[in-house]
Amino acid sequence: AQKITQTQPGMFVQEKEAVTLDCTYDTSDPSYGLFWYKQPSSGEMIFLIYQGSYDQQNATEGRYSLNFQKARKSANLVISASQLGDSAMYFCAMREAVGKHSGGGADGLTFGKGTHLIIQP
Amino acid sequence: DSGVTQTPKHLITATGQRVTLRCSPRSGDLSVYWYQQSLDQGLQFLIHYYNGEERAKGNILERFSAQQFPDLHSELNLSSLELGDSALYFCASSPRGIAGSTDTQYFGPGTRLTVL
């Protein structure tokens, strides 16, 4: 079963409008972190925002906010006042605090398939 | 700029060959992670090193190996390369990365590997 689901393969949005990118996740761990990354056409992965499972308030970072609904296991990214430079792939990712693999270390991030966001002038 | 550096940026090689990708983490970060991004598989976690020790393995092939050196830089070795190994390989670093931590991982610019 997929641990991270992003149901919107692509989105077209008018400049200056707000955008919501959907992400649902699946975990049985009580402690986990949720992340959003942006990947422009140049290829680098840019960290945007983080939400911890025990955080009481939704995370915000400038124009980015995370609509965290723990009971529904969703962590949607909201971009306010979109700009042309926001056009990119957006990935939702999760890290469970206790790794399931070897060594007792925490595992890497599990990523969704991404949403390709295009901002139109 | 995340502070994570990766070399080379591009690598073109032939099937059956062996290559080494290099990563330097952000100053002060003890954990290094390797990821592979391909059209077929998306972004996949390969392996995690913490302060020189292997901590977790993801979907890493037996033909691939990694290590983290005392100065904390890391190398990913890919051998007996196949066409399907063509991908973008990312290194990421985080301050801790031990069990119980969910600290943010910062990614390097990636190495684009093309196997012909």
Side-chain angles (χ1 to χ4, degrees):
Chain A
Q2 274 192 321
K3 286 206 162 189
I4 298 287
T5 303
Q6 294 181 253
T7 57
Q8 306 149 310
M11 287 183 73
F12 288 87
V13 173
Q14 288 296 120
E15 190 180 9
K16 299 180 186 173
E17 288 184 352
V19 181
T20 297
L21 304 181
D22 295 341
C23 173
T24 57
Y25 60 92
D26 182 26
T27 181
S28 55
D29 278 343
S31 178
Y32 52 89
L34 296 158
F35 304 81
W36 278 91
Y37 288 85
K38 172 185 178 181
Q39 186 176 37
S41 56
S42 51
E44 71 267 33
M45 292 288 287
I46 301 167
F47 165 71
L48 296 178
I49 197 165
Y50 163 79
Q51 180 84 44
S53 58
Y54 293 120
D55 292 344
Q56 293 297 312
Q57 294 192 326
N58 287 345
T60 60
E61 288 284 351
R63 293 187 299 113
Y64 304 108
S65 61
L66 204 151
N67 183 2
F68 180 47
Q69 297 186 45
K70 194 169 180 176
R72 296 180 60 186
K73 293 189 175 178
S74 80
N76 298 339
L77 177 70
V78 180
I79 307 174
S80 64
S82 58
Q83 302 171 355
L84 296 178
D86 293 332
S87 295
M89 283 292 292
Y90 288 80
F91 292 95
C92 179
M94 176 175 66
R95 189 185 193 193
E96 293 155 307
V98 179
K100 300 292 191 291
H101 295 112
S102 61
D107 286 354
L109 297 169
T110 300
F111 284 87
K113 294 189 183 301
T115 295
H116 189 190
L117 176 64
I118 297 174
I119 307 297
Q120 296 176 311
Chain B
D1 186 348
S2 67
V4 180
T5 61
Q6 288 188 249
T7 56
K9 287 192 174 155
H10 300 277
L11 198 48
I12 301 174
T13 188
T15 54
Q17 295 299 305
R18 172 189 169 93
V19 297
T20 298
L21 313 183
R22 183 188 168 104
C23 166
S24 292
R26 297 186 320 156
S27 177
D29 283 359
L30 297 178
S31 273
V32 169
Y33 308 81
W34 287 96
Y35 292 87
Q36 179 195 60
Q37 185 178 30
S38 65
L39 287 174
D40 296 345
Q41 304 290 332
L43 269 157
Q44 289 197 102
F45 164 64
L46 296 179
I47 197 163
H48 167 209
Y49 274 81
Y50 171 76
N51 204 21
E53 293 185 5
E54 181 186 302
R55 281 302 182 108
K57 278 185 173 180
N59 298 319
I60 190 166
L61 299 172
E62 286 194 9
R63 300 183 285 110
F64 297 179
S65 65
Q67 53 185 329
Q68 187 181 27
F69 295 87
D71 67 352
L72 301 177
H73 91 271
S74 178
E75 293 181 354
L76 179 66
N77 300 296
L78 315 176
S79 61
S80 303
L81 285 167
E82 302 174 0
L83 296 177
D85 297 328
S86 295
L88 188 52
Y89 290 85
F90 286 108
C91 159
S93 75
S94 72
R96 295 170 296 163
I98 55 176
S101 122
T102 53
D103 48 336
T104 297
Q105 295 179 24
Y106 294 91
F107 281 69
T111 293
R112 186 167 295 280
L113 173 67
T114 302
V115 182
L116 300 175

